[in-house]
Amino acid sequence: MNSAVWFLLVGGLLLVMGLTYTVLKRSPVTAAIIYLAVGLLVGPSALNLLHFNPLKESALLEVLTEGAVLISLFSAGVKMPVPFSFTRWRAPILLATVSMTLTVAMVAAFAFYVLGLPLGAGVLLGAILAPTDPVLATDVQIRHPGDRDQLRFTLTCEAGMNDGSAFPFVMLGLGLLGLHELGDFGLRWVLVDVLWATLAAVLIGGVAGIALARLGWKFRRAPHKHELLDDFLGLGLIGVVYGLTVMVHAWGFLAVFFAAVALRQTELKLARNALKSAAGTTETGGTGAPANAGPGADPDSLHTVSEGSLIFKEHLERLSELILVLLVGGSLFLTSWSWPAVGLALFLFLVARPLSVLAGLLFTPTPWRIRGMTAWFGVRGIGSLYYLMYAIQHQLPESLALQMIQMTLVVVALSILLHGVSVKPMMGYFWRRSKQTPVP
């Protein structure tokens, strides 16, 4: 496909989606299903106008998926509605650690015993497919910063963290294949890839988010009263945090998510303090609070960097979803839908994900209806594609790479289809049958 046809295809899709937005919101399918259908139609499965080769274009696809996941992680982080506490975050932390580990183990066992892959390849495949996706799961995630629903909070927070917590298992799989140094008895992997990379990512992200929040708040208040470019600040925070984290060999995805969380929560804390100071005065300018921080004002309504940059990030997220899902459809052949690939997807959706979620949340007070919905809506997507491209760029053998590309693309496509057709009716039924459960 030449560039003119590509621009025509993407531009036409953007026009159609923009003009039919109201109709699509009421339809039973998601936008990702439409993108996938168009990709399959113009791809090698049908008209063969578009043929994207993930192996040949792995470097390009790695950059595209990396950027999409970073934008989505930032958007998810700034939507977190409550201050961090272990009680509130217990369920998603367990999902991103215990459930993640169990999913990797079960997929690795399936790949080793059923598909006949080497153990290292099985662990790598499990790490690629285990994390839920922050890009394609927007219909089951937090809708806005004031959304306090427990189900959407749990799914959003899990997706934000497990795109980083999957990385140690990716490195473990590569190490078992001889492509990464694990150290004697795996000691280097434990100390560097698990402990250091995780703790450093959380620390760097948290410090950077707090620093930007305080700096932006100071510049907006008297006597400075500066106007700030929130879009630039949001993108700048992503770039600086991710670059710095990668330089010190820590997990950048995790750092960006926690930077966004720290940014939002620090700004809300500063806003609440300003409102308390303004509550006893008639003129808010005397307290140094923002002009709209009058008595009774909502902290969520005050102008902040996180809120100001969110709309732009969501637009970028939608655009990246369109392009990448289109490429997924344009990469699949009819022969891609093999029984091993489809069987792996069904095992992941119907066995590994439900069992790992139920085990991870076993000793939590999470209501059973939320556990059931969480067990089903483990959407796989762009994050899995990134990890696969990352592994290919780290010298994954071509024959193994081709197998994993086929299985990963089928899993992602089936996730788009199965979760996409079920999300609206199931979520609608869920809310009709039960009252909205707030985050504790």
Side-chain angles (χ1 to χ4, degrees):
M1 174 182 286
N2 59 43
S3 59
V5 177
W6 174 253
F7 276 106
L8 181 63
L9 177 61
V10 174
L13 262 178
L14 289 171
L15 288 174
V16 171
M17 299 302 290
L19 292 171
T20 61
Y21 179 67
T22 300
V23 177
L24 291 173
K25 281 204 305 183
R26 298 170 182 169
S27 69
V29 299
T30 61
I33 291 181
I34 297 174
Y35 306 149
L36 179 63
V38 173
L40 291 171
L41 178 63
V42 301
S45 296
L47 300 179
N48 202 25
L49 297 175
L50 165 65
H51 178 203
F52 186 79
N53 188 332
L55 182 61
K56 187 177 180 180
E57 304 291 347
S58 59
L60 171 63
L61 192 54
E62 181 186 16
V63 173
L64 291 177
T65 52
E66 188 175 32
V69 173
L70 288 172
I71 294 296
S72 188
L73 288 173
F74 182 88
S75 298
V78 298
K79 292 177 186 176
M80 292 292 100
V82 292
F84 179 87
S85 71
F86 182 76
T87 301
R88 295 179 177 119
W89 286 55
R90 181 184 178 188
I93 287 175
L94 289 172
L95 290 173
T97 53
V98 176
S99 298
M100 163 72 72
T101 304
L102 292 174
T103 303
V104 172
M106 284 187 277
V107 172
F110 184 89
F112 182 75
Y113 290 106
V114 179
L115 302 181
L117 293 177
L119 179 60
V123 172
L124 178 59
L125 185 61
I128 289 170
L129 298 178
T132 56
D133 195 65
V135 181
L136 300 183
T138 52
D139 288 286
V140 293
Q141 291 186 352
I142 286 186
R143 297 171 179 172
H144 52 79
D147 189 346
R148 297 179 179 272
D149 175 69
Q150 185 178 358
L151 173 61
R152 288 194 287 267
F153 168 78
T154 300
L155 290 170
T156 305
C157 196
E158 178 199 8
M161 288 188 291
N162 69 15
D163 267 300
S165 61
F167 242 122
F169 296 104
V170 172
M171 306 315 294
L172 177 61
L174 290 174
L176 293 174
L177 290 171
L179 303 175
H180 177 68
E181 179 61 41
L182 297 179
D184 295 334
F185 306 104
L187 185 61
R188 183 190 182 280
W189 177 74
V190 172
L191 294 178
V192 177
D193 295 331
V194 178
L195 296 178
W196 161 256
T198 301
L199 295 176
V202 175
L203 179 62
I204 291 172
V207 170
I210 292 172
L212 179 60
R214 293 188 175 278
L215 192 62
W217 186 264
K218 181 178 181 180
F219 281 179
R220 276 203 170 99
R221 297 176 68 192
H224 307 290
K225 295 185 178 179
H226 287 308
E227 292 185 11
L228 305 179
L229 293 176
D230 295 322
D231 294 340
F232 280 33
L233 291 175
L235 290 172
L237 180 63
I238 293 173
V240 169
V241 167
Y242 189 68
L244 180 60
T245 309
V246 171
M247 286 176 63
V248 299
H249 306 289
W251 305 135
F253 285 173
L254 202 62
V256 168
F257 176 72
F258 276 102
V261 172
L263 171 68
R264 180 63 181 171
Q265 300 307 322
T266 303
E267 288 182 326
L268 286 180
K269 181 179 179 180
L270 292 171
R272 291 189 184 101
N273 291 338
L275 292 177
K276 290 179 182 179
S277 299
T281 65
T282 56
E283 293 184 10
T284 58
T287 66
N292 60 337
D298 182 4
D300 287 329
S301 67
L302 299 182
H303 194 176
T304 58
V305 174
S306 56
E307 184 75 13
S309 63
L310 183 57
I311 296 177
F312 178 64
K313 303 298 183 299
E314 289 180 335
H315 290 165
L316 289 178
E317 192 176 5
R318 289 180 184 177
L319 181 60
S320 64
E321 177 186 5
L322 184 153
I323 293 174
L324 291 170
V325 175
L326 196 62
L327 292 179
V328 170
S331 303
L332 286 166
F333 293 83
L334 289 177
T335 55
S336 300
W337 302 87
S338 63
W339 281 114
V342 174
L344 173 63
L346 295 179
F347 174 80
L348 177 63
F349 301 152
L350 303 179
V351 179
R353 170 68 179 182
L355 288 181
S356 64
V357 168
L358 294 179
L361 300 181
L362 186 60
F363 299 107
T364 69
T366 307
W368 279 99
R369 64 181 184 276
I370 292 181
R371 298 187 199 194
M373 294 289 284
T374 303
W376 171 242
F377 285 113
V379 181
R380 266 63 184 180
I382 308 306
S384 295
L385 293 178
Y386 168 75
Y387 286 124
L388 176 59
M389 296 305 111
Y390 179 89
I392 292 174
Q393 287 296 300
H394 282 71
Q395 309 306 314
L396 188 68
E398 183 173 332
S399 59
L400 199 55
L402 289 172
Q403 285 182 278
M404 290 196 173
I405 287 172
Q406 179 193 11
M407 288 185 283
T408 302
L409 289 175
V410 170
V411 169
V412 171
L414 280 177
S415 180
I416 291 172
L417 292 172
L418 295 178
H419 294 121
V421 298
S422 62
V423 59
K424 291 185 179 180
M426 285 187 67
M427 292 293 281
Y429 179 79
F430 178 80
W431 300 128
R432 287 194 300 269
R433 295 283 295 179
S434 61
K435 294 183 178 179
Q436 195 180 51
T437 305
V439 180

